Amino acid sequence: MFWSFFGGFIAAKVAKRAEYTNAAVIGVIGAAIGFDSMLTNHAVPLWYELTGFIVIVPVSLLGGYLALKLKKAP
């Protein structure tokens, strides 16, 4: 979750516009990687994988929100 937050933060910080969209794209990429891991790796419990899969996009958007707030701060 930390890396999704950080990735969303950096994507929004670097973006000149559409900060939330860039942060969401990072979350979707992370969700796709997590989905692949969920299908191929059975060492982690399913509830843990599902929780991470559901939460990853909102966490990356939270990173984008923080970057946008810091960008607009005086």
Side-chain angles (χ1 to χ4, degrees), residues 1 27-36 38 46-58:
M1 290 303 122
V28 168
I29 290 170
I33 292 169
F35 186 71
D36 178 54
M38 192 181 342
L46 182 62
W47 67 268
Y48 191 78
E49 292 277 353
L50 287 175
T51 303
F53 184 71
I54 292 168
V55 174
I56 198 162
V57 174

mmCIF file of all heavy atoms in Angstrom, residues 1 27-36 38 46-58:
data_model
loop_
_atom_site.group_PDB
_atom_site.id
_atom_site.type_symbol
_atom_site.label_atom_id
_atom_site.label_comp_id
_atom_site.label_asym_id
_atom_site.label_seq_id
_atom_site.Cartn_x
_atom_site.Cartn_y
_atom_site.Cartn_z
ATOM 1 N N MET A 1 0.819 -1.185 0.000
ATOM 2 C CA MET A 1 0.000 0.000 0.000
ATOM 3 C C MET A 1 0.873 1.262 0.000
ATOM 4 O O MET A 1 0.504 2.250 -0.605
ATOM 5 C CB MET A 1 -0.918 0.006 1.212
ATOM 6 C CG MET A 1 -2.028 -1.020 1.184
ATOM 7 S SD MET A 1 -3.069 -0.856 -0.254
ATOM 8 C CE MET A 1 -2.878 -2.445 -0.953
ATOM 9 N N GLY A 27 -2.736 3.466 -9.631
ATOM 10 C CA GLY A 27 -3.516 2.508 -8.857
ATOM 11 C C GLY A 27 -4.028 1.355 -9.696
ATOM 12 O O GLY A 27 -4.016 0.203 -9.266
ATOM 13 N N VAL A 28 -4.476 1.638 -10.908
ATOM 14 C CA VAL A 28 -4.978 0.583 -11.792
ATOM 15 C C VAL A 28 -3.843 -0.348 -12.212
ATOM 16 O O VAL A 28 -4.019 -1.576 -12.267
ATOM 17 C CB VAL A 28 -5.685 1.189 -13.019
ATOM 18 C CG1 VAL A 28 -5.964 0.153 -14.076
ATOM 19 C CG2 VAL A 28 -6.967 1.876 -12.582
ATOM 20 N N ILE A 29 -2.679 0.205 -12.471
ATOM 21 C CA ILE A 29 -1.526 -0.629 -12.809
ATOM 22 C C ILE A 29 -1.165 -1.524 -11.619
ATOM 23 O O ILE A 29 -0.901 -2.718 -11.774
ATOM 24 C CB ILE A 29 -0.325 0.238 -13.241
ATOM 25 C CG1 ILE A 29 -0.605 0.888 -14.590
ATOM 26 C CG2 ILE A 29 0.961 -0.585 -13.297
ATOM 27 C CD1 ILE A 29 0.396 1.939 -14.994
ATOM 28 N N GLY A 30 -1.176 -0.951 -10.424
ATOM 29 C CA GLY A 30 -0.913 -1.750 -9.229
ATOM 30 C C GLY A 30 -1.965 -2.821 -9.010
ATOM 31 O O GLY A 30 -1.650 -3.946 -8.602
ATOM 32 N N ALA A 31 -3.223 -2.499 -9.294
ATOM 33 C CA ALA A 31 -4.294 -3.488 -9.159
ATOM 34 C C ALA A 31 -4.126 -4.614 -10.167
ATOM 35 O O ALA A 31 -4.386 -5.784 -9.855
ATOM 36 C CB ALA A 31 -5.648 -2.816 -9.322
ATOM 37 N N ALA A 32 -3.698 -4.287 -11.371
ATOM 38 C CA ALA A 32 -3.471 -5.320 -12.385
ATOM 39 C C ALA A 32 -2.336 -6.251 -11.962
ATOM 40 O O ALA A 32 -2.434 -7.479 -12.117
ATOM 41 C CB ALA A 32 -3.155 -4.679 -13.730
ATOM 42 N N ILE A 33 -1.278 -5.690 -11.422
ATOM 43 C CA ILE A 33 -0.172 -6.513 -10.935
ATOM 44 C C ILE A 33 -0.638 -7.372 -9.758
ATOM 45 O O ILE A 33 -0.295 -8.549 -9.657
ATOM 46 C CB ILE A 33 1.032 -5.632 -10.557
ATOM 47 C CG1 ILE A 33 1.627 -4.999 -11.812
ATOM 48 C CG2 ILE A 33 2.093 -6.440 -9.816
ATOM 49 C CD1 ILE A 33 2.647 -3.920 -11.538
ATOM 50 N N GLY A 34 -1.434 -6.786 -8.869
ATOM 51 C CA GLY A 34 -1.974 -7.542 -7.745
ATOM 52 C C GLY A 34 -2.912 -8.643 -8.186
ATOM 53 O O GLY A 34 -2.937 -9.730 -7.599
ATOM 54 N N PHE A 35 -3.704 -8.388 -9.222
ATOM 55 C CA PHE A 35 -4.615 -9.409 -9.743
ATOM 56 C C PHE A 35 -3.832 -10.574 -10.330
ATOM 57 O O PHE A 35 -4.181 -11.739 -10.118
ATOM 58 C CB PHE A 35 -5.545 -8.793 -10.786
ATOM 59 C CG PHE A 35 -6.598 -9.732 -11.273
ATOM 60 C CD1 PHE A 35 -7.648 -10.095 -10.453
ATOM 61 C CD2 PHE A 35 -6.529 -10.254 -12.549
ATOM 62 C CE1 PHE A 35 -8.624 -10.970 -10.893
ATOM 63 C CE2 PHE A 35 -7.494 -11.124 -13.005
ATOM 64 C CZ PHE A 35 -8.551 -11.492 -12.176
ATOM 65 N N ASP A 36 -2.764 -10.255 -11.044
ATOM 66 C CA ASP A 36 -1.914 -11.313 -11.585
ATOM 67 C C ASP A 36 -1.296 -12.126 -10.458
ATOM 68 O O ASP A 36 -1.244 -13.353 -10.516
ATOM 69 C CB ASP A 36 -0.826 -10.713 -12.472
ATOM 70 C CG ASP A 36 0.104 -11.769 -13.014
ATOM 71 O OD1 ASP A 36 -0.398 -12.734 -13.622
ATOM 72 O OD2 ASP A 36 1.332 -11.643 -12.827
ATOM 73 N N MET A 38 -2.570 -12.518 -7.529
ATOM 74 C CA MET A 38 -3.648 -13.265 -6.898
ATOM 75 C C MET A 38 -3.918 -14.576 -7.655
ATOM 76 O O MET A 38 -4.224 -15.599 -7.050
ATOM 77 C CB MET A 38 -4.919 -12.416 -6.863
ATOM 78 C CG MET A 38 -5.997 -12.966 -5.992
ATOM 79 S SD MET A 38 -7.533 -12.018 -5.935
ATOM 80 C CE MET A 38 -7.165 -10.410 -6.517
ATOM 81 N N LEU A 46 -6.358 -15.565 0.562
ATOM 82 C CA LEU A 46 -7.206 -14.882 -0.412
ATOM 83 C C LEU A 46 -7.790 -13.592 0.143
ATOM 84 O O LEU A 46 -7.865 -12.589 -0.562
ATOM 85 C CB LEU A 46 -8.320 -15.811 -0.882
ATOM 86 C CG LEU A 46 -9.260 -15.235 -1.938
ATOM 87 C CD1 LEU A 46 -8.492 -14.903 -3.200
ATOM 88 C CD2 LEU A 46 -10.386 -16.203 -2.228
ATOM 89 N N TRP A 47 -8.181 -13.568 1.431
ATOM 90 C CA TRP A 47 -8.776 -12.359 1.998
ATOM 91 C C TRP A 47 -7.762 -11.217 1.989
ATOM 92 O O TRP A 47 -8.123 -10.059 1.796
ATOM 93 C CB TRP A 47 -9.290 -12.610 3.418
ATOM 94 C CG TRP A 47 -8.205 -12.879 4.421
ATOM 95 C CD1 TRP A 47 -7.700 -14.087 4.783
ATOM 96 C CD2 TRP A 47 -7.478 -11.896 5.175
ATOM 97 N NE1 TRP A 47 -6.700 -13.931 5.711
ATOM 98 C CE2 TRP A 47 -6.547 -12.596 5.979
ATOM 99 C CE3 TRP A 47 -7.519 -10.517 5.260
ATOM 100 C CZ2 TRP A 47 -5.674 -11.945 6.842
ATOM 101 C CZ3 TRP A 47 -6.636 -9.878 6.117
ATOM 102 C CH2 TRP A 47 -5.739 -10.588 6.906
ATOM 103 N N TYR A 48 -6.511 -11.530 2.191
ATOM 104 C CA TYR A 48 -5.459 -10.517 2.184
ATOM 105 C C TYR A 48 -5.276 -9.944 0.781
ATOM 106 O O TYR A 48 -5.158 -8.732 0.597
ATOM 107 C CB TYR A 48 -4.163 -11.155 2.687
ATOM 108 C CG TYR A 48 -3.059 -10.172 2.975
ATOM 109 C CD1 TYR A 48 -3.063 -9.418 4.141
ATOM 110 C CD2 TYR A 48 -2.002 -10.005 2.085
ATOM 111 C CE1 TYR A 48 -2.053 -8.524 4.420
ATOM 112 C CE2 TYR A 48 -0.994 -9.106 2.349
ATOM 113 C CZ TYR A 48 -1.019 -8.373 3.516
ATOM 114 O OH TYR A 48 -0.031 -7.475 3.776
ATOM 115 N N GLU A 49 -5.267 -10.817 -0.207
ATOM 116 C CA GLU A 49 -5.137 -10.381 -1.598
ATOM 117 C C GLU A 49 -6.336 -9.535 -2.014
ATOM 118 O O GLU A 49 -6.183 -8.511 -2.678
ATOM 119 C CB GLU A 49 -5.024 -11.591 -2.520
ATOM 120 C CG GLU A 49 -3.741 -12.379 -2.355
ATOM 121 C CD GLU A 49 -2.591 -11.782 -3.129
ATOM 122 O OE1 GLU A 49 -2.804 -10.825 -3.896
ATOM 123 O OE2 GLU A 49 -1.474 -12.285 -2.966
ATOM 124 N N LEU A 50 -7.550 -9.951 -1.655
ATOM 125 C CA LEU A 50 -8.752 -9.198 -2.018
ATOM 126 C C LEU A 50 -8.780 -7.824 -1.365
ATOM 127 O O LEU A 50 -9.178 -6.839 -1.992
ATOM 128 C CB LEU A 50 -10.002 -9.990 -1.654
ATOM 129 C CG LEU A 50 -10.313 -11.182 -2.541
ATOM 130 C CD1 LEU A 50 -11.510 -11.951 -2.003
ATOM 131 C CD2 LEU A 50 -10.556 -10.748 -3.965
ATOM 132 N N THR A 51 -8.381 -7.754 -0.107
ATOM 133 C CA THR A 51 -8.332 -6.460 0.580
ATOM 134 C C THR A 51 -7.360 -5.516 -0.120
ATOM 135 O O THR A 51 -7.677 -4.355 -0.361
ATOM 136 C CB THR A 51 -7.913 -6.646 2.047
ATOM 137 O OG1 THR A 51 -8.822 -7.537 2.677
ATOM 138 C CG2 THR A 51 -7.888 -5.327 2.783
ATOM 139 N N GLY A 52 -6.193 -6.014 -0.463
ATOM 140 C CA GLY A 52 -5.223 -5.198 -1.176
ATOM 141 C C GLY A 52 -5.720 -4.784 -2.547
ATOM 142 O O GLY A 52 -5.506 -3.651 -2.981
ATOM 143 N N PHE A 53 -6.409 -5.689 -3.223
ATOM 144 C CA PHE A 53 -6.933 -5.405 -4.553
ATOM 145 C C PHE A 53 -7.998 -4.305 -4.515
ATOM 146 O O PHE A 53 -8.041 -3.432 -5.377
ATOM 147 C CB PHE A 53 -7.511 -6.693 -5.150
ATOM 148 C CG PHE A 53 -8.000 -6.548 -6.553
ATOM 149 C CD1 PHE A 53 -7.120 -6.381 -7.599
ATOM 150 C CD2 PHE A 53 -9.348 -6.567 -6.831
ATOM 151 C CE1 PHE A 53 -7.562 -6.254 -8.898
ATOM 152 C CE2 PHE A 53 -9.813 -6.433 -8.129
ATOM 153 C CZ PHE A 53 -8.907 -6.271 -9.161
ATOM 154 N N ILE A 54 -8.835 -4.318 -3.500
ATOM 155 C CA ILE A 54 -9.918 -3.334 -3.383
ATOM 156 C C ILE A 54 -9.392 -1.973 -2.938
ATOM 157 O O ILE A 54 -9.878 -0.936 -3.382
ATOM 158 C CB ILE A 54 -10.996 -3.858 -2.418
ATOM 159 C CG1 ILE A 54 -11.704 -5.054 -3.042
ATOM 160 C CG2 ILE A 54 -11.991 -2.775 -2.053
ATOM 161 C CD1 ILE A 54 -12.577 -5.822 -2.088
ATOM 162 N N VAL A 55 -8.385 -1.952 -2.100
ATOM 163 C CA VAL A 55 -7.923 -0.710 -1.470
ATOM 164 C C VAL A 55 -6.856 0.015 -2.288
ATOM 165 O O VAL A 55 -6.630 1.204 -2.087
ATOM 166 C CB VAL A 55 -7.407 -1.034 -0.046
ATOM 167 C CG1 VAL A 55 -6.782 0.144 0.626
ATOM 168 C CG2 VAL A 55 -8.541 -1.581 0.799
ATOM 169 N N ILE A 56 -6.248 -0.635 -3.253
ATOM 170 C CA ILE A 56 -5.069 -0.077 -3.909
ATOM 171 C C ILE A 56 -5.360 1.199 -4.705
ATOM 172 O O ILE A 56 -4.574 2.153 -4.660
ATOM 173 C CB ILE A 56 -4.383 -1.153 -4.770
ATOM 174 C CG1 ILE A 56 -2.957 -0.743 -5.092
ATOM 175 C CG2 ILE A 56 -5.155 -1.426 -6.031
ATOM 176 C CD1 ILE A 56 -2.117 -1.896 -5.532
ATOM 177 N N VAL A 57 -6.477 1.282 -5.406
ATOM 178 C CA VAL A 57 -6.790 2.490 -6.186
ATOM 179 C C VAL A 57 -7.129 3.667 -5.257
ATOM 180 O O VAL A 57 -6.593 4.767 -5.456
ATOM 181 C CB VAL A 57 -7.901 2.219 -7.215
ATOM 182 C CG1 VAL A 57 -8.318 3.498 -7.915
ATOM 183 C CG2 VAL A 57 -7.440 1.197 -8.234
ATOM 184 N N PRO A 58 -7.965 3.490 -4.225
ATOM 185 C CA PRO A 58 -8.197 4.621 -3.313
ATOM 186 C C PRO A 58 -6.930 5.107 -2.602
ATOM 187 O O PRO A 58 -6.772 6.306 -2.373
ATOM 188 C CB PRO A 58 -9.213 4.077 -2.310
ATOM 189 C CG PRO A 58 -9.918 3.005 -3.021
ATOM 190 C CD PRO A 58 -8.894 2.395 -3.933
#
